[in-house]
Amino acid sequence: MIHTIDSLSYTNKLRHVSPMWKCGFTAVLLTLAYAAQPAVQAVIFCWMLVWTVGYAGIPLKTYSWLFGASCFFYVTSLPAWVIEAASSAASVRPDALLAVPVFRGWLYISPAALVQAVEVFVRIAACEACLLFIVFTIPFPELMQVMKRLRMPQAVLELMVITYRFLFHLSDAAQGMIAAQRARGGHAGFWRTLRDVAALLVQLFAKTMHRYRGLSQGLMSRGFTGELHFMPYEPKPIPGRYGAEGILGAATLALLSIWLRVGGV
């Protein structure tokens, strides 16, 4: 998947739009997605989906797969959001949708908890849509140029570069090791799969450390002085249509959020 994302970031239809403008546009919408009401957050998600899939031409299947994978962490925390505990049947809320006796207490689901879980999911979806727009439309070197121009600390930039580089190494190594395990009859059955995955993680850590030492030695042999240098930022044009739509859309969403908040909706 990391290779697919990297390829799409170079071949999408918004590739030649100013990366600085795309980062600023996304930052404004991400702020709104975090602070606005659920209705505005839902609109932001749909609008960013149009920008990413419609304008940038990102395949919906790839977008859905990556979005769904990121939502896995929300799903794992969902029981903690919706399930509440009570010591006795009298303590269970009268509007509970489902109540189950467990040992000496009760577990139940209330409408308020479901509403809160839905609101959290809408916020997560809106913020994730903003981040995926950056991931799919800005190549990593250009993103580093933007961060450098915004005076991001050098240590953070170098950490991002090294992490990004090792994502490809880890992906290639993991795929090769999984193919080797399956060729030897591995991953057959649940318990054997767990054992093979455990062995895979141990070997993957050893290979990662080996490649890290190779990277360090390669940098030192090339005269590394303790600081990575990046290409200077090159301004790119902002098409009038995208610029006008972005400004008007963001302003409309901000006004809608203010109106909903003032009106108490």
mmCIF file of all heavy atoms in Angstrom, residues 125-175:
data_model
loop_
_atom_site.group_PDB
_atom_site.id
_atom_site.type_symbol
_atom_site.label_atom_id
_atom_site.label_comp_id
_atom_site.label_asym_id
_atom_site.label_seq_id
_atom_site.Cartn_x
_atom_site.Cartn_y
_atom_site.Cartn_z
ATOM 1 N N ALA A 125 -13.836 11.038 11.004
ATOM 2 C CA ALA A 125 -13.946 10.920 9.553
ATOM 3 C C ALA A 125 -13.568 12.225 8.858
ATOM 4 O O ALA A 125 -12.857 12.219 7.840
ATOM 5 C CB ALA A 125 -15.368 10.505 9.171
ATOM 6 N N ALA A 126 -14.007 13.352 9.398
ATOM 7 C CA ALA A 126 -13.688 14.642 8.785
ATOM 8 C C ALA A 126 -12.193 14.927 8.867
ATOM 9 O O ALA A 126 -11.572 15.349 7.872
ATOM 10 C CB ALA A 126 -14.481 15.747 9.469
ATOM 11 N N CYS A 127 -11.602 14.708 10.028
ATOM 12 C CA CYS A 127 -10.157 14.947 10.176
ATOM 13 C C CYS A 127 -9.350 13.984 9.310
ATOM 14 O O CYS A 127 -8.348 14.381 8.695
ATOM 15 C CB CYS A 127 -9.757 14.800 11.641
ATOM 16 S SG CYS A 127 -10.462 16.049 12.754
ATOM 17 N N GLU A 128 -9.777 12.740 9.246
ATOM 18 C CA GLU A 128 -9.066 11.768 8.432
ATOM 19 C C GLU A 128 -9.157 12.112 6.953
ATOM 20 O O GLU A 128 -8.186 11.947 6.209
ATOM 21 C CB GLU A 128 -9.646 10.366 8.678
ATOM 22 C CG GLU A 128 -8.951 9.258 7.913
ATOM 23 C CD GLU A 128 -7.542 9.009 8.401
ATOM 24 O OE1 GLU A 128 -7.239 9.413 9.543
ATOM 25 O OE2 GLU A 128 -6.762 8.404 7.659
ATOM 26 N N ALA A 129 -10.295 12.612 6.502
ATOM 27 C CA ALA A 129 -10.435 13.012 5.108
ATOM 28 C C ALA A 129 -9.476 14.147 4.762
ATOM 29 O O ALA A 129 -8.904 14.181 3.660
ATOM 30 C CB ALA A 129 -11.875 13.430 4.828
ATOM 31 N N CYS A 130 -9.276 15.076 5.700
ATOM 32 C CA CYS A 130 -8.322 16.172 5.472
ATOM 33 C C CYS A 130 -6.902 15.639 5.358
ATOM 34 O O CYS A 130 -6.139 16.043 4.465
ATOM 35 C CB CYS A 130 -8.421 17.188 6.600
ATOM 36 S SG CYS A 130 -9.996 18.064 6.702
ATOM 37 N N LEU A 131 -6.527 14.730 6.238
ATOM 38 C CA LEU A 131 -5.180 14.183 6.206
ATOM 39 C C LEU A 131 -4.943 13.333 4.967
ATOM 40 O O LEU A 131 -3.853 13.367 4.374
ATOM 41 C CB LEU A 131 -4.923 13.358 7.474
ATOM 42 C CG LEU A 131 -4.928 14.134 8.791
ATOM 43 C CD1 LEU A 131 -4.704 13.189 9.966
ATOM 44 C CD2 LEU A 131 -3.863 15.217 8.780
ATOM 45 N N LEU A 132 -5.942 12.581 4.540
ATOM 46 C CA LEU A 132 -5.788 11.761 3.342
ATOM 47 C C LEU A 132 -5.632 12.627 2.097
ATOM 48 O O LEU A 132 -4.970 12.224 1.135
ATOM 49 C CB LEU A 132 -6.990 10.823 3.187
ATOM 50 C CG LEU A 132 -7.065 9.665 4.182
ATOM 51 C CD1 LEU A 132 -8.289 8.804 3.903
ATOM 52 C CD2 LEU A 132 -5.802 8.814 4.123
ATOM 53 N N PHE A 133 -6.222 13.810 2.098
ATOM 54 C CA PHE A 133 -6.029 14.729 0.977
ATOM 55 C C PHE A 133 -4.555 15.101 0.851
ATOM 56 O O PHE A 133 -4.000 15.148 -0.267
ATOM 57 C CB PHE A 133 -6.884 15.971 1.174
ATOM 58 C CG PHE A 133 -6.708 17.012 0.107
ATOM 59 C CD1 PHE A 133 -7.227 16.829 -1.160
ATOM 60 C CD2 PHE A 133 -6.006 18.178 0.372
ATOM 61 C CE1 PHE A 133 -7.060 17.785 -2.146
ATOM 62 C CE2 PHE A 133 -5.828 19.144 -0.597
ATOM 63 C CZ PHE A 133 -6.358 18.946 -1.867
ATOM 64 N N ILE A 134 -3.897 15.361 1.969
ATOM 65 C CA ILE A 134 -2.464 15.661 1.955
ATOM 66 C C ILE A 134 -1.669 14.439 1.505
ATOM 67 O O ILE A 134 -0.750 14.533 0.682
ATOM 68 C CB ILE A 134 -2.003 16.116 3.346
ATOM 69 C CG1 ILE A 134 -2.601 17.489 3.681
ATOM 70 C CG2 ILE A 134 -0.478 16.172 3.436
ATOM 71 C CD1 ILE A 134 -2.037 18.616 2.870
ATOM 72 N N VAL A 135 -2.004 13.284 2.049
ATOM 73 C CA VAL A 135 -1.252 12.062 1.764
ATOM 74 C C VAL A 135 -1.299 11.710 0.283
ATOM 75 O O VAL A 135 -0.273 11.328 -0.310
ATOM 76 C CB VAL A 135 -1.798 10.899 2.620
ATOM 77 C CG1 VAL A 135 -1.218 9.565 2.166
ATOM 78 C CG2 VAL A 135 -1.489 11.133 4.083
ATOM 79 N N PHE A 136 -2.469 11.850 -0.324
ATOM 80 C CA PHE A 136 -2.638 11.402 -1.702
ATOM 81 C C PHE A 136 -2.243 12.442 -2.749
ATOM 82 O O PHE A 136 -2.036 12.087 -3.903
ATOM 83 C CB PHE A 136 -4.099 10.999 -1.945
ATOM 84 C CG PHE A 136 -4.443 9.634 -1.428
ATOM 85 C CD1 PHE A 136 -5.410 9.469 -0.450
ATOM 86 C CD2 PHE A 136 -3.812 8.513 -1.912
ATOM 87 C CE1 PHE A 136 -5.745 8.213 0.023
ATOM 88 C CE2 PHE A 136 -4.129 7.245 -1.451
ATOM 89 C CZ PHE A 136 -5.098 7.096 -0.481
ATOM 90 N N THR A 137 -2.159 13.707 -2.392
ATOM 91 C CA THR A 137 -1.955 14.750 -3.417
ATOM 92 C C THR A 137 -0.608 15.465 -3.335
ATOM 93 O O THR A 137 -0.267 16.193 -4.268
ATOM 94 C CB THR A 137 -3.068 15.815 -3.334
ATOM 95 O OG1 THR A 137 -3.033 16.456 -2.046
ATOM 96 C CG2 THR A 137 -4.433 15.180 -3.541
ATOM 97 N N ILE A 138 0.150 15.285 -2.255
ATOM 98 C CA ILE A 138 1.435 15.969 -2.132
ATOM 99 C C ILE A 138 2.543 14.926 -1.997
ATOM 100 O O ILE A 138 2.559 14.166 -1.016
ATOM 101 C CB ILE A 138 1.466 16.915 -0.920
ATOM 102 C CG1 ILE A 138 0.345 17.942 -1.016
ATOM 103 C CG2 ILE A 138 2.818 17.624 -0.829
ATOM 104 C CD1 ILE A 138 0.311 18.931 0.138
ATOM 105 N N PRO A 139 3.479 14.864 -2.940
ATOM 106 C CA PRO A 139 4.624 13.953 -2.786
ATOM 107 C C PRO A 139 5.443 14.303 -1.550
ATOM 108 O O PRO A 139 5.505 15.462 -1.126
ATOM 109 C CB PRO A 139 5.431 14.173 -4.073
ATOM 110 C CG PRO A 139 4.456 14.750 -5.051
ATOM 111 C CD PRO A 139 3.484 15.557 -4.231
ATOM 112 N N PHE A 140 6.065 13.317 -0.981
ATOM 113 C CA PHE A 140 6.793 13.523 0.269
ATOM 114 C C PHE A 140 7.910 14.563 0.149
ATOM 115 O O PHE A 140 8.060 15.389 1.061
ATOM 116 C CB PHE A 140 7.367 12.190 0.760
ATOM 117 C CG PHE A 140 7.983 12.271 2.119
ATOM 118 C CD1 PHE A 140 7.195 12.323 3.252
ATOM 119 C CD2 PHE A 140 9.363 12.304 2.262
ATOM 120 C CE1 PHE A 140 7.760 12.409 4.510
ATOM 121 C CE2 PHE A 140 9.936 12.388 3.515
ATOM 122 C CZ PHE A 140 9.136 12.436 4.640
ATOM 123 N N PRO A 141 8.716 14.581 -0.919
ATOM 124 C CA PRO A 141 9.750 15.633 -1.008
ATOM 125 C C PRO A 141 9.164 17.044 -0.997
ATOM 126 O O PRO A 141 9.736 17.951 -0.374
ATOM 127 C CB PRO A 141 10.447 15.325 -2.337
ATOM 128 C CG PRO A 141 10.226 13.868 -2.546
ATOM 129 C CD PRO A 141 8.859 13.605 -2.007
ATOM 130 N N GLU A 142 8.027 17.251 -1.676
ATOM 131 C CA GLU A 142 7.401 18.571 -1.664
ATOM 132 C C GLU A 142 6.853 18.915 -0.283
ATOM 133 O O GLU A 142 6.899 20.075 0.142
ATOM 134 C CB GLU A 142 6.291 18.637 -2.708
ATOM 135 C CG GLU A 142 6.782 18.588 -4.143
ATOM 136 C CD GLU A 142 5.667 18.801 -5.130
ATOM 137 O OE1 GLU A 142 4.510 18.980 -4.690
ATOM 138 O OE2 GLU A 142 5.941 18.793 -6.338
ATOM 139 N N LEU A 143 6.349 17.913 0.415
ATOM 140 C CA LEU A 143 5.860 18.159 1.773
ATOM 141 C C LEU A 143 7.008 18.580 2.682
ATOM 142 O O LEU A 143 6.843 19.466 3.540
ATOM 143 C CB LEU A 143 5.192 16.894 2.314
ATOM 144 C CG LEU A 143 4.522 17.003 3.683
ATOM 145 C CD1 LEU A 143 3.428 18.058 3.675
ATOM 146 C CD2 LEU A 143 3.960 15.653 4.117
ATOM 147 N N MET A 144 8.182 17.987 2.497
ATOM 148 C CA MET A 144 9.347 18.385 3.275
ATOM 149 C C MET A 144 9.766 19.819 2.947
ATOM 150 O O MET A 144 10.186 20.574 3.826
ATOM 151 C CB MET A 144 10.509 17.424 3.009
ATOM 152 C CG MET A 144 10.324 16.015 3.560
ATOM 153 S SD MET A 144 10.244 15.959 5.370
ATOM 154 C CE MET A 144 8.459 15.942 5.605
ATOM 155 N N GLN A 145 9.647 20.201 1.685
ATOM 156 C CA GLN A 145 9.974 21.575 1.297
ATOM 157 C C GLN A 145 9.027 22.568 1.974
ATOM 158 O O GLN A 145 9.457 23.631 2.436
ATOM 159 C CB GLN A 145 9.906 21.714 -0.218
ATOM 160 C CG GLN A 145 10.959 20.911 -0.970
ATOM 161 C CD GLN A 145 10.762 20.954 -2.475
ATOM 162 O OE1 GLN A 145 9.875 21.638 -2.978
ATOM 163 N NE2 GLN A 145 11.592 20.222 -3.197
ATOM 164 N N VAL A 146 7.753 22.198 2.022
ATOM 165 C CA VAL A 146 6.781 23.077 2.679
ATOM 166 C C VAL A 146 7.084 23.184 4.169
ATOM 167 O O VAL A 146 7.073 24.275 4.751
ATOM 168 C CB VAL A 146 5.349 22.553 2.453
ATOM 169 C CG1 VAL A 146 4.346 23.351 3.285
ATOM 170 C CG2 VAL A 146 4.986 22.631 0.979
ATOM 171 N N MET A 147 7.367 22.049 4.815
ATOM 172 C CA MET A 147 7.681 22.066 6.238
ATOM 173 C C MET A 147 8.946 22.872 6.512
ATOM 174 O O MET A 147 9.038 23.591 7.515
ATOM 175 C CB MET A 147 7.861 20.630 6.746
ATOM 176 C CG MET A 147 6.611 19.755 6.684
ATOM 177 S SD MET A 147 5.276 20.323 7.771
ATOM 178 C CE MET A 147 4.192 21.107 6.559
ATOM 179 N N LYS A 148 9.931 22.750 5.627
ATOM 180 C CA LYS A 148 11.162 23.523 5.792
ATOM 181 C C LYS A 148 10.890 25.015 5.659
ATOM 182 O O LYS A 148 11.437 25.830 6.421
ATOM 183 C CB LYS A 148 12.176 23.079 4.736
ATOM 184 C CG LYS A 148 13.545 23.760 4.838
ATOM 185 C CD LYS A 148 14.305 23.302 6.055
ATOM 186 C CE LYS A 148 15.715 23.866 6.064
ATOM 187 N NZ LYS A 148 16.503 23.433 7.243
ATOM 188 N N ARG A 149 10.035 25.383 4.716
ATOM 189 C CA ARG A 149 9.706 26.794 4.531
ATOM 190 C C ARG A 149 8.929 27.344 5.722
ATOM 191 O O ARG A 149 9.037 28.544 6.047
ATOM 192 C CB ARG A 149 8.899 26.968 3.251
ATOM 193 C CG ARG A 149 8.673 28.424 2.839
ATOM 194 C CD ARG A 149 7.935 28.503 1.523
ATOM 195 N NE ARG A 149 7.692 29.870 1.120
ATOM 196 C CZ ARG A 149 8.535 30.633 0.435
ATOM 197 N NH1 ARG A 149 9.714 30.134 0.078
ATOM 198 N NH2 ARG A 149 8.227 31.874 0.112
ATOM 199 N N LEU A 150 8.156 26.490 6.369
ATOM 200 C CA LEU A 150 7.403 26.899 7.557
ATOM 201 C C LEU A 150 8.243 26.825 8.830
ATOM 202 O O LEU A 150 7.697 26.958 9.922
ATOM 203 C CB LEU A 150 6.160 26.017 7.714
ATOM 204 C CG LEU A 150 5.111 26.138 6.596
ATOM 205 C CD1 LEU A 150 3.982 25.151 6.826
ATOM 206 C CD2 LEU A 150 4.570 27.555 6.497
ATOM 207 N N ARG A 151 9.547 26.605 8.660
ATOM 208 C CA ARG A 151 10.509 26.590 9.769
ATOM 209 C C ARG A 151 10.229 25.477 10.776
ATOM 210 O O ARG A 151 10.327 25.676 11.997
ATOM 211 C CB ARG A 151 10.543 27.951 10.474
ATOM 212 C CG ARG A 151 10.923 29.113 9.552
ATOM 213 C CD ARG A 151 11.064 30.399 10.311
ATOM 214 N NE ARG A 151 11.371 31.508 9.409
ATOM 215 C CZ ARG A 151 12.588 31.789 8.949
ATOM 216 N NH1 ARG A 151 13.606 31.021 9.305
ATOM 217 N NH2 ARG A 151 12.783 32.824 8.145
ATOM 218 N N MET A 152 9.892 24.315 10.248
ATOM 219 C CA MET A 152 9.777 23.147 11.103
ATOM 220 C C MET A 152 11.164 22.784 11.631
ATOM 221 O O MET A 152 12.146 22.861 10.892
ATOM 222 C CB MET A 152 9.193 21.969 10.319
ATOM 223 C CG MET A 152 8.977 20.710 11.124
ATOM 224 S SD MET A 152 7.646 20.863 12.321
ATOM 225 C CE MET A 152 6.216 20.975 11.242
ATOM 226 N N PRO A 153 11.304 22.402 12.902
ATOM 227 C CA PRO A 153 12.630 22.048 13.434
ATOM 228 C C PRO A 153 13.333 20.983 12.598
ATOM 229 O O PRO A 153 12.704 20.029 12.117
ATOM 230 C CB PRO A 153 12.308 21.536 14.848
ATOM 231 C CG PRO A 153 11.034 22.223 15.205
ATOM 232 C CD PRO A 153 10.260 22.354 13.924
ATOM 233 N N GLN A 154 14.628 21.143 12.425
ATOM 234 C CA GLN A 154 15.409 20.236 11.592
ATOM 235 C C GLN A 154 15.338 18.800 12.093
ATOM 236 O O GLN A 154 15.278 17.855 11.316
ATOM 237 C CB GLN A 154 16.868 20.711 11.548
ATOM 238 C CG GLN A 154 17.779 19.881 10.656
ATOM 239 C CD GLN A 154 17.471 20.040 9.187
ATOM 240 O OE1 GLN A 154 16.847 21.021 8.780
ATOM 241 N NE2 GLN A 154 17.905 19.084 8.380
ATOM 242 N N ALA A 155 15.344 18.627 13.400
ATOM 243 C CA ALA A 155 15.292 17.274 13.959
ATOM 244 C C ALA A 155 13.998 16.559 13.570
ATOM 245 O O ALA A 155 13.995 15.357 13.273
ATOM 246 C CB ALA A 155 15.423 17.331 15.475
ATOM 247 N N VAL A 156 12.892 17.295 13.541
ATOM 248 C CA VAL A 156 11.604 16.697 13.155
ATOM 249 C C VAL A 156 11.630 16.295 11.676
ATOM 250 O O VAL A 156 11.162 15.217 11.311
ATOM 251 C CB VAL A 156 10.458 17.682 13.437
ATOM 252 C CG1 VAL A 156 9.129 17.115 12.950
ATOM 253 C CG2 VAL A 156 10.375 17.995 14.922
ATOM 254 N N LEU A 157 12.189 17.151 10.833
ATOM 255 C CA LEU A 157 12.259 16.845 9.410
ATOM 256 C C LEU A 157 13.122 15.615 9.149
ATOM 257 O O LEU A 157 12.753 14.743 8.347
ATOM 258 C CB LEU A 157 12.817 18.048 8.651
ATOM 259 C CG LEU A 157 11.971 19.324 8.654
ATOM 260 C CD1 LEU A 157 12.682 20.437 7.903
ATOM 261 C CD2 LEU A 157 10.603 19.071 8.044
ATOM 262 N N GLU A 158 14.243 15.530 9.811
ATOM 263 C CA GLU A 158 15.122 14.379 9.612
ATOM 264 C C GLU A 158 14.461 13.100 10.106
ATOM 265 O O GLU A 158 14.593 12.039 9.473
ATOM 266 C CB GLU A 158 16.446 14.610 10.338
ATOM 267 C CG GLU A 158 17.275 15.739 9.728
ATOM 268 C CD GLU A 158 18.555 15.993 10.499
ATOM 269 O OE1 GLU A 158 18.785 15.297 11.511
ATOM 270 O OE2 GLU A 158 19.331 16.887 10.083
ATOM 271 N N LEU A 159 13.741 13.184 11.213
ATOM 272 C CA LEU A 159 13.029 12.010 11.719
ATOM 273 C C LEU A 159 11.948 11.567 10.735
ATOM 274 O O LEU A 159 11.760 10.362 10.509
ATOM 275 C CB LEU A 159 12.414 12.333 13.079
ATOM 276 C CG LEU A 159 11.685 11.183 13.784
ATOM 277 C CD1 LEU A 159 12.647 10.045 14.056
ATOM 278 C CD2 LEU A 159 11.058 11.668 15.084
ATOM 279 N N MET A 160 11.247 12.525 10.119
ATOM 280 C CA MET A 160 10.226 12.192 9.135
ATOM 281 C C MET A 160 10.843 11.524 7.907
ATOM 282 O O MET A 160 10.294 10.550 7.370
ATOM 283 C CB MET A 160 9.470 13.453 8.729
ATOM 284 C CG MET A 160 8.602 14.051 9.821
ATOM 285 S SD MET A 160 7.843 15.625 9.354
ATOM 286 C CE MET A 160 6.771 15.088 8.011
ATOM 287 N N VAL A 161 11.993 12.025 7.448
ATOM 288 C CA VAL A 161 12.659 11.452 6.282
ATOM 289 C C VAL A 161 13.096 10.023 6.557
ATOM 290 O O VAL A 161 12.882 9.113 5.745
ATOM 291 C CB VAL A 161 13.860 12.326 5.867
ATOM 292 C CG1 VAL A 161 14.702 11.616 4.808
ATOM 293 C CG2 VAL A 161 13.387 13.659 5.335
ATOM 294 N N ILE A 162 13.719 9.803 7.709
ATOM 295 C CA ILE A 162 14.197 8.461 8.036
ATOM 296 C C ILE A 162 13.025 7.498 8.201
ATOM 297 O O ILE A 162 13.057 6.352 7.723
ATOM 298 C CB ILE A 162 15.051 8.508 9.318
ATOM 299 C CG1 ILE A 162 16.325 9.317 9.055
ATOM 300 C CG2 ILE A 162 15.400 7.103 9.787
ATOM 301 C CD1 ILE A 162 17.168 9.535 10.285
ATOM 302 N N THR A 163 11.954 7.950 8.854
ATOM 303 C CA THR A 163 10.772 7.101 9.025
ATOM 304 C C THR A 163 10.152 6.758 7.681
ATOM 305 O O THR A 163 9.786 5.596 7.426
ATOM 306 C CB THR A 163 9.739 7.813 9.914
ATOM 307 O OG1 THR A 163 10.324 8.129 11.168
ATOM 308 C CG2 THR A 163 8.524 6.918 10.131
ATOM 309 N N TYR A 164 10.035 7.756 6.816
ATOM 310 C CA TYR A 164 9.457 7.513 5.492
ATOM 311 C C TYR A 164 10.297 6.526 4.699
ATOM 312 O O TYR A 164 9.761 5.646 4.019
ATOM 313 C CB TYR A 164 9.362 8.841 4.745
ATOM 314 C CG TYR A 164 8.705 8.741 3.385
ATOM 315 C CD1 TYR A 164 7.333 8.593 3.267
ATOM 316 C CD2 TYR A 164 9.475 8.810 2.231
ATOM 317 C CE1 TYR A 164 6.733 8.508 2.027
ATOM 318 C CE2 TYR A 164 8.875 8.725 0.974
ATOM 319 C CZ TYR A 164 7.514 8.573 0.884
ATOM 320 O OH TYR A 164 6.932 8.485 -0.364
ATOM 321 N N ARG A 165 11.610 6.661 4.778
ATOM 322 C CA ARG A 165 12.491 5.738 4.055
ATOM 323 C C ARG A 165 12.318 4.318 4.554
ATOM 324 O O ARG A 165 12.250 3.365 3.766
ATOM 325 C CB ARG A 165 13.942 6.189 4.205
ATOM 326 C CG ARG A 165 14.960 5.267 3.537
ATOM 327 C CD ARG A 165 16.374 5.733 3.816
ATOM 328 N NE ARG A 165 17.367 4.837 3.225
ATOM 329 C CZ ARG A 165 17.848 4.955 2.007
ATOM 330 N NH1 ARG A 165 17.432 5.936 1.230
ATOM 331 N NH2 ARG A 165 18.745 4.104 1.548
ATOM 332 N N PHE A 166 12.220 4.148 5.866
ATOM 333 C CA PHE A 166 12.139 2.807 6.414
ATOM 334 C C PHE A 166 10.767 2.178 6.224
ATOM 335 O O PHE A 166 10.633 0.957 6.340
ATOM 336 C CB PHE A 166 12.512 2.827 7.900
ATOM 337 C CG PHE A 166 13.980 2.656 8.141
ATOM 338 C CD1 PHE A 166 14.814 3.754 8.258
ATOM 339 C CD2 PHE A 166 14.533 1.392 8.229
ATOM 340 C CE1 PHE A 166 16.158 3.604 8.467
ATOM 341 C CE2 PHE A 166 15.884 1.231 8.436
ATOM 342 C CZ PHE A 166 16.710 2.336 8.560
ATOM 343 N N LEU A 167 9.746 2.976 5.941
ATOM 344 C CA LEU A 167 8.442 2.382 5.631
ATOM 345 C C LEU A 167 8.534 1.476 4.414
ATOM 346 O O LEU A 167 7.927 0.398 4.375
ATOM 347 C CB LEU A 167 7.410 3.483 5.404
ATOM 348 C CG LEU A 167 6.883 4.207 6.642
ATOM 349 C CD1 LEU A 167 5.932 5.325 6.238
ATOM 350 C CD2 LEU A 167 6.184 3.234 7.574
ATOM 351 N N PHE A 168 9.287 1.895 3.396
ATOM 352 C CA PHE A 168 9.449 1.077 2.200
ATOM 353 C C PHE A 168 10.281 -0.170 2.500
ATOM 354 O O PHE A 168 9.957 -1.268 2.021
ATOM 355 C CB PHE A 168 10.114 1.905 1.094
ATOM 356 C CG PHE A 168 9.245 2.992 0.547
ATOM 357 C CD1 PHE A 168 9.297 4.266 1.069
ATOM 358 C CD2 PHE A 168 8.366 2.739 -0.492
ATOM 359 C CE1 PHE A 168 8.498 5.280 0.571
ATOM 360 C CE2 PHE A 168 7.559 3.737 -0.998
ATOM 361 C CZ PHE A 168 7.621 5.014 -0.467
ATOM 362 N N HIS A 169 11.336 -0.001 3.295
ATOM 363 C CA HIS A 169 12.150 -1.160 3.652
ATOM 364 C C HIS A 169 11.335 -2.177 4.441
ATOM 365 O O HIS A 169 11.398 -3.386 4.175
ATOM 366 C CB HIS A 169 13.356 -0.709 4.476
ATOM 367 C CG HIS A 169 14.363 0.063 3.703
ATOM 368 N ND1 HIS A 169 14.733 -0.266 2.423
ATOM 369 C CD2 HIS A 169 15.093 1.173 4.025
ATOM 370 C CE1 HIS A 169 15.641 0.585 1.970
ATOM 371 N NE2 HIS A 169 15.869 1.476 2.931
ATOM 372 N N LEU A 170 10.558 -1.691 5.396
ATOM 373 C CA LEU A 170 9.745 -2.607 6.202
ATOM 374 C C LEU A 170 8.688 -3.294 5.356
ATOM 375 O O LEU A 170 8.424 -4.486 5.517
ATOM 376 C CB LEU A 170 9.090 -1.835 7.347
ATOM 377 C CG LEU A 170 10.013 -1.346 8.460
ATOM 378 C CD1 LEU A 170 9.237 -0.487 9.448
ATOM 379 C CD2 LEU A 170 10.645 -2.526 9.186
ATOM 380 N N SER A 171 8.058 -2.556 4.451
ATOM 381 C CA SER A 171 7.030 -3.140 3.600
ATOM 382 C C SER A 171 7.610 -4.234 2.709
ATOM 383 O O SER A 171 7.056 -5.343 2.608
ATOM 384 C CB SER A 171 6.376 -2.050 2.746
ATOM 385 O OG SER A 171 5.440 -2.603 1.850
ATOM 386 N N ASP A 172 8.738 -3.947 2.061
ATOM 387 C CA ASP A 172 9.349 -4.940 1.171
ATOM 388 C C ASP A 172 9.832 -6.160 1.944
ATOM 389 O O ASP A 172 9.637 -7.306 1.508
ATOM 390 C CB ASP A 172 10.517 -4.301 0.415
ATOM 391 C CG ASP A 172 10.064 -3.212 -0.541
ATOM 392 O OD1 ASP A 172 8.881 -3.224 -0.925
ATOM 393 O OD2 ASP A 172 10.891 -2.348 -0.892
ATOM 394 N N ALA A 173 10.456 -5.909 3.101
ATOM 395 C CA ALA A 173 10.961 -7.036 3.888
ATOM 396 C C ALA A 173 9.820 -7.896 4.416
ATOM 397 O O ALA A 173 9.894 -9.127 4.388
ATOM 398 C CB ALA A 173 11.813 -6.510 5.045
ATOM 399 N N ALA A 174 8.745 -7.257 4.888
ATOM 400 C CA ALA A 174 7.618 -8.017 5.425
ATOM 401 C C ALA A 174 6.941 -8.848 4.337
ATOM 402 O O ALA A 174 6.601 -10.018 4.563
ATOM 403 C CB ALA A 174 6.608 -7.068 6.063
ATOM 404 N N GLN A 175 6.752 -8.277 3.158
ATOM 405 C CA GLN A 175 6.128 -9.023 2.065
ATOM 406 C C GLN A 175 6.983 -10.222 1.655
ATOM 407 O O GLN A 175 6.467 -11.315 1.415
ATOM 408 C CB GLN A 175 5.899 -8.100 0.877
ATOM 409 C CG GLN A 175 4.814 -7.058 1.105
ATOM 410 C CD GLN A 175 4.635 -6.147 -0.078
ATOM 411 O OE1 GLN A 175 5.271 -6.301 -1.111
ATOM 412 N NE2 GLN A 175 3.764 -5.158 0.078
#
